[in-house]
């Protein structure tokens, strides 16, 4: 699954390609044609970034192949941390709304600061549980495609990049209105849909397997969520449970 240097993918048929375009010098470029489907290997290399983002929001498989196979984007680690910070901030904000104090002293301020760190830790554990459940399902069904460390790393990178929808958590809270709870649910659905498409594109697998992997990841994630509730920790989150 992991691609070697100089190896690309056709965004239409997912076949390997040696190059995305031919450079005839003097500013003359021509997009390479796929030998398998006889279509441009990657039409998105000519597109404006705004168009690419719109197609990514629409969860088109072609643009996911463009991003994952034909570009060198290495922000998945930073993106994951930032998304977890967004989720932790949302939980922390909900926790503060439920325990308002008009004039907090230094001890309460210190406790509130640690509440944020606790929310970040809980969000991280739940995300890890989701990924573990998902990876376990995919590895049991397709061990050949996930046989090396590079394969696992590439799939993890694809999943982290496809979770960019969590960045919408902050605007949903800033522009709070009567439908904020519904917005949070829709954001969750969008993130899961993006994860589904990332798995399908990366492993070139069936829709059913992708759905089963997502569902198993959700089951394990929600198990961790309810475990924290059972031990008396207020996780204050409207985003995680879908029921």
């Amino acid at each position: 699954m992991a691609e070697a240097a100089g190896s690309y993918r056709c965004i239409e048929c997912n076949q390997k390609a040696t190059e995305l375009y031919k450079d005839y010098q003097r500013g003359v470029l021509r997009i390479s044609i796929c030998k398998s489907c006889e279509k441009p290997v990657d039409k998105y290399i000519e597109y404006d970034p705004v168009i690419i983002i719109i197609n990514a929001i629409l969860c088109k498989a072609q643009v996911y192949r463009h991003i994952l196979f034909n570009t060198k984007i290495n922000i998945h680690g930073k993106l994951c941390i930032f998304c977890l910070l967004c989720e932790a901030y949302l939980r922390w904000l909900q926790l503060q709304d439920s325990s308002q104090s008009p004039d907090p002293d230094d001890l309460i301020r210190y406790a509130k600061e640690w509440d944020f760190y606790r929310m970040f830790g809980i969000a991280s554990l739940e995300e890890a549980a989701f990924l573990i459940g998902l990876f376990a399902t995919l590895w049991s069904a397709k061990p050949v495609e996930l046989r090396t460390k590079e394969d696992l790393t590439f799939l993890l990178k694809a999943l982290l990049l496809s979770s960019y929808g969590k960045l919408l958590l902050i605007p949903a809270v800033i522009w709070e209105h009567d439908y904020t709870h519904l917005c949070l649910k829709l954001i969750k659905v969008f993130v899961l849909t993006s994860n589904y498409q990332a798995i399908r594109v990366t492993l070139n697998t069936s829709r059913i397997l992708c759905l089963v992997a997502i569902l198993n990841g959700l089951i394990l994630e929600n198990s961790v969520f309810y475990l924290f509730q059972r031990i008396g920790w207020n996780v204050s989150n409207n985003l995680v449970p879908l029921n």
Side-chain angles (χ1 to χ4, degrees), residues 142-155:
K142 299 181 78 69
V144 176
E145 284 80 357
L146 296 171
R147 63 184 181 276
T148 66
K149 180 180 178 181
E150 288 75 17
D151 296 335
L152 295 170
T153 302
F154 189 77
L155 178 58

Side-chain angles (χ1 to χ4, degrees), residues 40-56:
V41 172
D42 191 344
K43 61 183 179 181
Y44 287 107
I45 62 176
E46 290 187 325
Y47 282 30
D48 187 271
V50 175
I51 303 298
I52 295 176
I53 292 174
I54 292 174
N55 280 265

Side-chain angles (χ1 to χ4, degrees), residues 37 51 63 68 71 97 109 111 115 117 128 136 147 178 192 234:
C37 65
I51 303 298
V63 78
L68 296 175
T71 61
D97 289 342
R109 290 194 185 96
D115 279 339
Y117 298 144
R147 63 184 181 276
D178 296 338
L192 293 177
N234 186 359

Side-chain angles (χ1 to χ4, degrees), residues 21-50:
Y21 59 87
K22 295 182 182 294
D23 187 353
Y24 292 99
Q25 300 181 350
R26 297 182 180 180
V28 178
L29 300 176
R30 182 179 179 182
I31 297 180
S32 300
I33 302 299
C34 177
K35 297 179 180 179
S36 177
C37 65
E38 297 184 351
K39 294 181 180 180
V41 172
D42 191 344
K43 61 183 179 181
Y44 287 107
I45 62 176
E46 290 187 325
Y47 282 30
D48 187 271
V50 175

Side-chain angles (χ1 to χ4, degrees), residues 33-205:
I33 302 299
C34 177
K35 297 179 180 179
S36 177
C37 65
E38 297 184 351
K39 294 181 180 180
V41 172
D42 191 344
K43 61 183 179 181
Y44 287 107
I45 62 176
E46 290 187 325
Y47 282 30
D48 187 271
V50 175
I51 303 298
I52 295 176
I53 292 174
I54 292 174
N55 280 265
I57 293 174
L58 295 175
C59 292
K60 290 188 175 182
Q62 291 90 342
V63 78
Y64 272 74
R65 292 190 185 103
H66 164 75
I67 294 172
L68 296 175
F69 294 111
N70 300 338
T71 61
K72 295 181 180 180
I73 299 178
N74 294 312
I75 61 170
H76 49 282
K78 295 179 181 179
L79 180 63
C80 176
I81 296 298
F82 192 71
C83 288
L84 288 174
L85 287 173
C86 291
E87 192 166 345
Y89 172 75
L90 174 63
R91 297 179 183 216
W92 178 82
L93 192 63
Q94 293 172 343
L95 187 62
Q96 303 315 306
D97 289 342
S98 63
S99 58
Q100 288 287 346
S101 179
D103 187 25
D105 55 23
D106 291 340
L107 181 60
I108 295 178
R109 290 194 185 96
Y110 182 75
K112 287 186 175 182
E113 181 181 347
W114 277 102
D115 279 339
F116 177 79
Y117 298 144
R118 180 163 61 92
M119 293 299 109
F120 180 81
I122 292 173
S124 301
L125 288 174
E126 290 175 359
E127 180 68 16
F130 173 75
L131 292 173
I132 289 172
L134 190 150
F135 269 85
T137 303
L138 293 175
W139 187 85
S140 62
K142 299 181 78 69
V144 176
E145 284 80 357
L146 296 171
R147 63 184 181 276
T148 66
K149 180 180 178 181
E150 288 75 17
D151 296 335
L152 295 170
T153 302
F154 189 77
L155 178 58
L156 177 61
K157 174 183 175 181
L159 288 169
L160 295 180
L161 286 176
S162 64
S163 297
Y164 67 92
K166 291 183 179 180
L167 299 177
L168 297 173
L169 292 174
I170 297 301
V173 174
I174 293 176
W175 291 298
E176 184 176 0
H177 49 73
D178 296 338
Y179 301 102
T180 298
H181 184 74
L182 176 61
C183 289
L184 297 180
K185 297 295 185 182
L186 291 176
I187 290 172
K188 181 67 174 180
V189 172
F190 174 72
V191 171
L192 293 177
T193 303
S194 299
N195 292 155
Y196 162 89
Q197 195 67 286
I199 297 170
R200 186 163 169 254
V201 166
T202 304
L203 295 180
N204 196 27
T205 188

